[in-house]
Amino acid sequence: MRTKKNVIMRVEHLSKNFVIRSKKLTEKNKILHALSDVSFDIYEGETLGIIGESGCGKSTLGRCLVKLHKPSEGKITYYGRDLWNLPDYEKKKTRRDIQMIFQDPYSSLDPRKTAAYSIEEAMKVNGIGETARERRQLALEALQQVGLDIQHMERYPHEFSGGQRQRVNIARALCMEPKIIVCDEPVSALDVSIQAQVINLFRSLQKTYGLTYVFISHDLGIIKYISDRIIIMYLGRIMEYYTAEGIYSDPKHPYTKALLSAIPPESPLAKKERVPLTGDIPSPIGDQVGCPLAGRCSHCSERCRKEIPKLTDVGGGHMVACFLYE
């Protein structure tokens, strides 16, 4: 693991609720709890992996970090300053500092504009480059950094492969000279062979520019390979977080154990014990009572059904939200 540096971003008791517009539901049941009481730090120069099954809130969390969603409760601070209460003169700089790369590389680009135009337009909006010629040169340099060249500048999105389109999106983010890049499942829509190339590109760019990544994925292998620390999420809450090595070698939370037991063994002949999760996933709509995993956990007690466990340090910064470790 890389040496921990300064805290570049801090998330404190973050919650995000959405209102369901339906006349069939009571007022209490119109609230969907996408995130509930989420807290963690992001260190300068690290890759923080966020993993969980679909609907766990990881993409909503990423969108809150880049100010696409405003939190319902809690606070996000960037270098100690409240991200949602910055003075006007700092807002533009902060918007450049925190970039996002989305899951679908095609919908992230304007189909009517060339790759060069998409990159240059982003620079123009953010005041990067004094002249069109300078922005053109910066766009070319960014494309070259991600493995493309001058021949790709005038191509439209439909003329690229999926991997090339994602490289254009990465180049556009690089031109903003960011400090943090939130990567929301950036390789899940790509072929497996291309995934490896793009992941290695992310690591190379991190070393070159000293970038900090928040890497969101549902792929256990990719998260293990790229992350320094990992957050395990379930139904809008953090179940466990620790170093990538520690999470995979010594998982604590029953949900983490079940998740990691689903990884196929390296040898097809090897036997691996599965940790099953039976029962249905509870609804994130309405009042949230008890541990979200209570109905599917073999260690569930009466207390689990009534109280929500808090994150507890079980040693060395290994945080677990489970009554088993109190």
Side-chain angles (χ1 to χ4, degrees):
M1 179 180 175
R2 298 182 185 92
T3 303
K4 288 183 180 178
K5 300 181 181 179
N6 299 328
V7 174
I8 190 170
M9 185 176 278
R10 175 164 287 161
V11 177
E12 300 176 88
H13 306 291
L14 186 73
S15 296
K16 176 60 182 174
N17 303 325
F18 294 98
V19 177
I20 302 172
R21 303 190 184 279
S22 174
K23 294 181 180 179
K24 296 180 180 179
L25 298 174
T26 63
E27 287 299 320
K28 183 176 69 172
N29 290 329
K30 285 185 178 181
I31 304 299
L32 187 152
H33 302 273
L35 293 172
S36 301
D37 197 23
V38 172
S39 300
F40 59 90
D41 291 339
I42 303 172
Y43 295 101
E44 208 170 50
E46 77 164 347
T47 298
L48 176 66
I50 300 177
I51 194 164
E53 57 195 87
S54 296
C56 72
K58 55 187 187 296
S59 291
T60 301
L61 175 57
R63 288 169 182 264
C64 288
L65 298 181
V66 298
K67 296 182 70 175
L68 289 178
H69 288 328
K70 187 171 184 178
S72 304
E73 295 178 26
K75 187 166 68 170
I76 303 173
T77 55
Y78 175 65
Y79 282 120
R81 308 290 296 275
D82 188 341
L83 199 60
W84 286 93
N85 290 292
L86 293 172
D88 290 340
Y89 68 90
E90 286 189 20
K91 286 180 179 178
K92 192 170 186 178
K93 176 66 168 65
T94 304
R95 190 165 59 240
R96 284 173 48 184
D97 283 354
I98 307 170
Q99 293 293 307
M100 189 167 191
I101 296 170
F102 296 92
Q103 179 176 357
D104 185 355
Y106 188 75
S107 63
S108 303
L109 298 168
D110 189 334
R112 301 165 298 176
K113 305 297 183 183
T114 64
Y117 183 94
S118 294
I119 297 171
E120 291 167 33
E121 182 183 38
M123 286 191 284
K124 188 175 181 179
V125 168
N126 287 277
I128 298 173
E130 296 182 0
T131 65
R133 175 175 289 185
E134 185 179 346
R135 288 191 289 271
R136 187 80 172 176
Q137 181 61 31
L138 289 172
L140 173 59
E141 291 173 3
L143 286 170
Q144 289 173 333
Q145 284 288 333
V146 300
L148 302 178
D149 213 327
I150 192 169
Q151 62 178 312
H152 299 101
M153 294 187 73
E154 298 306 317
R155 292 187 187 178
Y156 291 87
H158 71 273
E159 297 178 296
F160 289 109
S161 68
Q164 288 175 327
R165 281 194 287 265
Q166 198 62 294
R167 288 172 187 265
V168 173
N169 287 315
I170 296 169
R172 183 171 57 184
L174 281 180
C175 281
M176 300 300 102
E177 301 173 353
K179 297 288 194 300
I180 300 177
I181 298 181
V182 178
C183 307
D184 185 10
E185 305 211 35
V187 297
S188 64
L190 308 179
D191 293 338
V192 175
S193 59
I194 305 301
Q195 284 183 3
Q197 295 175 20
V198 175
I199 290 296
N200 288 328
L201 173 63
F202 275 119
R203 298 193 71 173
S204 173
L205 293 173
Q206 185 176 45
K207 291 179 182 178
T208 303
Y209 296 103
L211 297 170
T212 301
Y213 291 140
V214 177
F215 203 95
I216 299 166
S217 180
H218 62 268
D219 190 310
L220 295 160
I222 288 175
I223 282 289
K224 181 181 181 181
Y225 177 72
I226 199 170
S227 302
D228 296 312
R229 292 185 303 138
I230 294 175
I231 289 175
I232 308 290
M233 291 190 68
Y234 180 74
L235 212 69
R237 294 184 178 274
I238 294 178
M239 298 288 101
E240 183 171 358
Y241 78 84
Y242 192 40
T243 64
E245 183 180 346
I247 285 280
Y248 279 78
S249 63
D250 186 24
K252 300 290 188 185
H253 199 282
Y255 178 68
T256 308
K257 292 178 180 178
L259 207 61
L260 298 184
S261 74
I263 302 175
E266 294 182 4
S267 169
L269 301 177
K271 292 183 178 180
K272 186 174 183 179
E273 184 180 354
R274 287 292 305 272
V275 180
L277 288 176
T278 58
D280 297 327
I281 300 174
S283 173
I285 300 171
D287 291 340
Q288 304 295 293
V289 180
C291 175
L293 193 69
R296 307 177 72 193
C297 180
S298 59
H299 301 282
C300 178
S301 65
E302 192 60 31
R303 184 186 181 190
C304 298
R305 299 185 186 277
K306 295 179 179 179
E307 297 179 37
I308 298 174
K310 302 292 185 183
L311 280 169
T312 304
D313 191 339
V314 297
H318 193 155
M319 307 297 291
V320 183
C322 184
F323 294 128
L324 292 172
Y325 299 95
E326 281 195 349

